[in-house]
């Protein structure tokens, strides 16, 4: 069965966004800070389901991404992948209630415009 490359791209972008969000949720725990030792930080992060789930999501995402790359132009695919930056901003605002300034929203708009230009076949 042949999977459409567009579906592979969308799946990779969504899974990357999910993986990053899971890592953030795992890192938001009270005892998870950069002031602890690296090993204590790692143990703390891995002790919650968010980080191991994020790792699993990333493994699946990379398999999908490699499959997508096998059928796509790297010079087009990789820059288009920057749309994940915009999705992560949206998730951070809507799900994590993070504040995002006007300059970042403008930057996101420029990324969307750039992805639109890169995604065109001309």
């Amino acid at each position: 069965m042949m999977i459409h490359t567009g579906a592979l791209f969308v799946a990779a972008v969504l899974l990357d966004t999910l993986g990053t969000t899971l890592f953030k949720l795992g890192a938001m725990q009270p005892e998870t800070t950069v002031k602890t030792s690296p090993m204590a930080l790692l143990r703390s992060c891995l002790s919650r389901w968010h980080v191991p789930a994020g790792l699993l999501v990333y493994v699946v995402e990379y398999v999908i991404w490699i499959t997508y790359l096998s059928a796509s132009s790297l010079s087009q695919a990789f820059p288009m992948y920057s749309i994940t930056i915009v999705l992560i901003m949206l998730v951070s605002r809507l799900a994590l209630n993070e504040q995002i300034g006007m300059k970042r929203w403008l930057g996101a708009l420029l990324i969307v415009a750039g992805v639109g230009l890169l995604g065109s076949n001309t």
Side-chain angles (χ1 to χ4, degrees):
M1 177 172 84
M2 178 71 171
I3 298 175
H4 189 272
T5 56
L8 290 170
F9 180 80
V10 169
V13 166
L14 292 176
L15 287 170
D16 188 69
T17 302
L18 176 61
T20 300
T21 304
L22 287 169
F23 283 163
K24 174 64 177 177
L25 290 170
M28 287 174 55
Q29 304 305 317
E31 65 274 4
T32 308
T33 69
V34 294
K35 294 179 182 176
T36 61
S37 72
M39 287 309 293
L41 179 63
L42 180 62
R43 272 193 307 278
S44 177
C45 286
L46 291 176
S47 70
R48 287 173 201 77
W49 69 270
H50 301 94
V51 174
L55 289 170
L56 180 61
V57 166
Y58 269 144
V59 168
V60 173
E61 184 262 331
Y62 281 121
V63 170
I64 291 171
W65 181 243
I66 291 167
T67 304
Y68 173 73
L69 287 178
S70 71
S72 301
S73 162
L74 182 60
S75 64
Q76 181 181 26
F78 193 73
M80 284 180 51
Y81 202 67
S82 63
I83 197 72
T84 58
I85 296 168
V86 177
L87 291 178
I88 290 168
M89 281 180 58
L90 288 171
V91 168
S92 69
R93 177 66 186 117
L94 298 174
L96 303 175
N97 204 30
E98 293 180 0
Q99 298 302 310
I100 300 173
M102 190 55 74
K103 287 182 183 179
R104 286 192 194 164
W105 286 121
L106 179 58
L109 183 62
L110 292 172
I111 289 170
V112 170
V115 166
L117 289 171
L118 290 166
S120 66
N121 290 328
T122 57

